[in-house]
Amino acid sequence: MKQVTIQTASRTYDVNIGVEMTNEIVSFIKKSFPDVSKLWLIADETVYKLHGEAFSEDLRQFFDITIYQAPKGEKAKSFATYEEAITHGLKHRVDRKSIVIAFGGGAIGDLAGFIASTYMRGIPFISVPTTILAHDSAVGGKVAINHPLGKNMVGQFYQPEGVFFDLNYFSSLPKTEILSGFAEVIKHAFLSDREFLQDLMHSFQSPENMDESFLTDCLIRGIQVKGDIVSKDERESNIRAFLNFGHTYGHAVESASGYGNRTHGESVMIGMVYALYLSERYCNLSFDMEGFIGWIKSLGYNLKVPSNIGFDILYEGMKRDKKSLNGNPVFVLLKNIGEPVMADVTEEDLKQADAYIRQL
């Protein structure tokens, strides 16, 4: 088992990465919460069908457990699902000595964390991510649900007690989810150093053939990048905003496409290409854009923005982004690989970048 420690102002916890992690989870709960009354497993319904019954039965040998199954993916992060889950908890007598276990991908982590942060004014939660994408969302304590006018607009900062990655769960991931997860790994490379990015471009050639040691190394390096930033700025007062590289345009594309109709990671990949184009114009970034785009296309990323989603729609979405100031989009751009900056970008330049994306 590999371990990365995340230190924030509010809590220090470990991210554990390995195989057959259920025993580690049981031991952690027994040691850290000896008087736990109930485990509240909040799971993606699709993931639960694959892995949840075995996992919950193992936990049931030691703890009282209740299970709430949420819709797959971003559809879980709705007001209706949030209310239904809270009702489930109340009906099944989840109390303040209970622990939420988030079991699924990034969307379930966001939903379950937000439920834990608000249920009876806050109960502990443990994250058990089952996707590569969740190596980003499971670390750092951002929990939220979506609003029809914007992604993650209702939420807060609430750190988990621990995170447990069981690599066995990744074996059932479809290609689309592997690509979605690696978009955030690539983002972390852009924010850290050119060597990390070059290693990825050299070693990651197909989502169908991934070496376990390579995957583990990618997860650890990505988590370390995020953990270092979060430790310095837990509540996104300054540098944590850099972790939104690719997200401003990407979130707008994802929202306009309808939540769940396009993966988060693929949307962020489109947003990163958009931000790289702006970085060349605004920050004189020296970067082989053609080579990078060729690589990500060869992996299977779809960079097309549907023609029925015009720039005006995306611009309104970008203006609602949480980094926006006075209704004007603020972008994370790169002076160099590993040197992010915040920049105001004119509407005209945003429109030109949008035109660039549409001709790829």
Side-chain angles (χ1 to χ4, degrees):
M1 182 178 74
K2 301 292 182 68
Q3 204 169 63
V4 180
T5 299
I6 307 297
Q7 293 182 314
T8 71
S10 66
R11 180 171 291 124
T12 297
Y13 56 95
D14 292 324
V15 180
N16 307 278
I17 304 169
V19 296
E20 307 294 342
M21 296 292 286
T22 303
N23 288 338
E24 299 292 336
I25 296 168
V26 169
S27 298
F28 174 78
I29 294 172
K30 284 183 173 181
K31 181 179 178 181
S32 303
F33 301 94
D35 59 347
V36 61
S37 61
K38 190 186 292 284
L39 301 186
W40 185 8
L41 186 67
I42 299 177
D44 177 306
E45 60 185 5
T46 302
V47 173
Y48 189 82
K49 289 175 185 175
L50 290 171
H51 308 292
E53 290 187 10
F55 179 58
S56 59
E57 284 306 308
D58 286 342
L59 294 177
R60 206 182 298 278
Q61 295 178 44
F62 304 96
F63 310 105
D64 184 15
I65 182 171
T66 185
I67 301 160
Y68 174 75
Q69 295 185 49
K72 178 183 176 181
E74 288 293 320
K75 293 176 182 177
K77 293 170 58 175
S78 68
F79 284 92
T81 301
Y82 170 74
E83 182 180 8
E84 183 179 83
I86 293 292
T87 301
H88 172 96
L90 294 171
K91 285 184 175 180
H92 289 82
R93 305 190 181 207
V94 174
D95 58 28
R96 283 182 166 175
K97 288 192 175 181
S98 300
I99 300 172
V100 169
I101 297 183
F103 188 70
I108 286 296
D110 284 356
L111 170 71
F114 185 59
I115 288 169
S117 74
T118 53
Y119 188 83
M120 295 186 176
R121 296 193 176 93
I123 61 176
F125 86 103
I126 293 167
S127 185
V128 183
T130 60
T131 67
I132 298 169
L133 179 67
H135 90 279
D136 180 72
S137 57
V139 176
K142 276 189 175 181
V143 296
I145 57 175
N146 297 329
H147 187 279
L149 293 180
K151 185 177 169 73
N152 297 331
M153 286 298 176
V154 183
Q156 53 187 336
F157 297 92
Y158 196 73
Q159 302 294 341
E161 302 293 330
V163 181
F164 295 84
F165 275 97
D166 191 327
L167 297 176
N168 287 347
Y169 296 140
F170 294 172
S171 63
S172 60
L173 289 177
K175 174 183 174 180
T176 52
E177 285 301 323
I178 293 172
L179 290 175
S180 182
F182 260 89
E184 292 284 4
V185 176
I186 293 166
K187 179 197 77 174
H188 289 135
F190 273 119
L191 295 176
S192 56
D193 61 75
R194 196 175 289 268
E195 181 184 355
F196 186 4
L197 182 62
Q198 289 173 340
D199 285 348
L200 287 174
M201 293 181 70
H202 173 74
S203 301
F204 185 39
Q205 297 299 323
S206 168
E208 283 94 355
N209 300 299
M210 258 197 313
D211 178 72
E212 185 178 289
S213 61
F214 168 69
L215 174 58
T216 301
D217 182 59
C218 288
L219 292 174
I220 289 172
R221 291 175 78 173
I223 290 166
Q224 286 173 334
V225 170
K226 183 164 188 178
D228 183 57
I229 291 174
V230 169
S231 69
K232 296 171 184 173
D233 179 23
E234 181 178 13
R235 301 184 67 84
E236 202 168 306
S237 303
N238 43 71
I239 64 169
R240 184 167 179 171
F242 292 155
L243 291 166
N244 290 297
F245 178 66
H247 284 60
T248 306
Y249 186 79
H251 271 177
V253 170
E254 186 179 4
S255 297
S257 300
Y259 295 128
N261 292 325
R262 187 160 210 158
T263 66
H264 173 70
E266 186 168 77
S267 301
V268 168
M269 182 61 76
I270 295 170
M272 285 193 287
V273 174
Y274 188 89
L276 288 168
Y277 173 85
L278 291 171
S279 297
E280 289 182 335
R281 293 185 59 109
Y282 275 70
C283 305
N284 296 316
L285 172 68
S286 177
F287 183 68
D288 179 11
M289 182 78 92
E290 185 176 339
F292 177 74
I293 291 172
W295 173 59
I296 58 177
K297 281 186 173 182
S298 74
L299 292 173
Y301 287 99
N302 176 13
L303 304 180
K304 294 295 183 185
V305 176
S307 58
N308 65 313
I309 302 176
F311 171 74
D312 290 345
I313 294 172
L314 298 178
Y315 185 58
E316 287 303 312
M318 288 187 280
K319 289 197 293 184
R320 287 193 293 268
D321 183 84
K322 294 184 290 297
K323 297 182 303 301
S324 294
L325 295 175
N326 300 317
N328 297 314
V330 177
F331 271 76
V332 181
L333 303 181
L334 298 178
K335 292 173 63 178
N336 204 341
I337 308 302
E339 292 185 49
V341 294
M342 305 301 293
D344 296 318
V345 182
T346 67
E347 181 179 353
E348 183 56 36
D349 285 338
L350 293 176
K351 194 168 188 176
Q352 287 184 19
D354 177 78
Y356 169 79
I357 291 291
R358 291 175 191 273
Q359 56 83 38
L360 291 176

